Amino acid sequence: MTLVVAGAAAVYTLRIADDCLVLSHRLAQWSSWGPTLEDDVALTNIALDLLGQARPMYARTAELDGTGRSEDDYAFMRDEREFVNCQLVEQENGDFARTIVRQLLCSTLQLAQWQALTTSTDGQVAAVAARAVKEAAYHRDHATDWTLRLGDGTDESHRRMETALATLWPFVGELFESDAVTRDVAASGVGPDPEALRAEWDAYVKRVLADATLTVPESGWKPSGGRQGLHTEPFGYMLAEMQHLHRSFPGVTW
């Protein structure tokens, strides 16, 4: 894969871009299916925010890896093993409770990550982060409000939230994994080591879950590999859907 020979900063920015793109597509799948008109619009807007965060990070990656690829090249012309998003963002939407739990877990990390990146030694990354912080704060607030409403709601909504937590919690560990890439960018000041964000993430998520009368699952199986291009089965189907038009009609323009 091209990524093997790319510099650490390029791989790091690509990871962030892929996280945003994949989560954006998952949320976009809710368009016209939201439980209320307001939340249908909210999820679509969050998806657009994430897409807007992915685009400049792909542009920065193209500069750093020296390939000059376009954002479309990154999004539509890479195979599954070339994507380096974490496995949590690619998990299927399921019911609304599962989407909300995934969003709480992801947006809490993204907010902490963007806040740290506002002081990045890479000026372009810092500029993207400065704008993204405000968006991520709203994303987390939206997920928090729904977590409280559903977790401390009816017996059925509580049960579904507990089920969603049990399903998605194993993927949390990968969010904070460190490797040669993260250690390199942390040393150069480009970005934070994920491990450094864990305490803040834990404090917020566990407080929200407690307020929502939800139980934090016990740690056990911890799937991993997304950062190295290893993905879960739902991702392949999602990618085929996302890339279908571009691959079927190369060079298509609107």
Side-chain angles (χ1 to χ4, degrees):
M1 287 191 301
T2 305
L3 302 181
V4 174
V5 298
V11 177
Y12 183 75
T13 54
L14 184 60
R15 289 175 178 181
I16 295 173
D18 282 352
D19 283 350
C20 291
L21 176 69
V22 174
L23 185 57
S24 170
H25 189 78
R26 280 300 187 205
L27 292 174
Q29 291 174 326
W30 272 102
S31 182
S32 80
W33 291 92
T36 67
L37 179 59
E38 179 180 358
D39 282 285
D40 195 293
V41 173
L43 291 176
T44 301
N45 283 335
I46 292 172
L48 288 172
D49 285 344
L50 289 165
L51 186 61
Q53 294 164 13
R55 293 181 64 188
M57 295 303 280
Y58 281 134
R60 184 57 180 147
T61 300
E63 295 174 344
L64 291 169
D65 68 17
T67 62
R69 285 180 287 185
S70 70
E71 59 197 55
D72 283 354
D73 291 332
Y74 286 110
F76 303 125
M77 300 308 294
R78 286 183 297 154
D79 295 329
E80 181 177 333
R81 290 294 298 272
E82 294 179 285
F83 277 79
V84 288
N85 57 277
C86 64
Q87 293 180 356
L88 177 60
V89 296
E90 69 195 39
Q91 298 309 300
E92 292 179 297
N93 290 329
D95 59 18
F96 190 63
R98 181 164 165 170
T99 291
I100 289 301
V101 169
R102 186 188 63 202
Q103 193 60 25
L104 176 69
L105 304 180
C106 290
S107 61
T108 301
L109 175 66
Q110 288 176 324
L111 177 56
Q113 185 177 59
W114 287 125
Q115 287 172 331
L117 286 170
T118 58
T119 59
S120 172
T121 54
D122 185 316
Q124 293 184 51
V125 171
V128 175
R131 185 196 68 186
V133 163
K134 297 177 182 179
E135 297 169 342
Y138 165 69
H139 302 172
R140 190 182 71 169
D141 286 347
H142 181 267
T144 297
D145 288 346
W146 269 108
T147 297
L148 296 172
R149 187 183 305 183
L150 295 174
D152 195 25
T154 65
D155 290 343
E156 178 66 12
S157 69
H158 180 86
R159 181 189 67 79
R160 291 192 180 214
M161 290 293 283
E162 291 275 21
T163 299
L165 260 177
T167 301
L168 296 175
W169 194 262
F171 296 97
V172 165
E174 186 183 28
L175 302 180
F176 305 101
E177 288 180 347
S178 292
D179 59 12
V181 169
T182 58
R183 288 189 289 272
D184 189 300
V185 298
S188 63
V190 172
D193 191 304
E195 288 182 334
L197 305 177
R198 184 67 194 250
E200 179 183 350
W201 186 93
D202 272 338
Y204 186 85
V205 169
K206 291 181 179 180
R207 177 176 63 80
V208 172
L209 295 180
D211 290 345
T213 69
L214 296 169
T215 303
V216 177
E218 293 186 11
S219 298
W221 173 59
K222 296 180 180 180
S224 183
R227 299 305 189 197
Q228 289 73 47
L230 301 177
H231 299 284
T232 57
E233 184 177 359
F235 182 65
Y237 295 106
M238 191 217 81
L239 196 63
E241 175 187 84
M242 187 179 78
Q243 296 182 339
H244 174 71
L245 179 63
H246 193 88
R247 288 186 179 243
S248 297
F249 303 95
V252 66
T253 57
W254 297 101

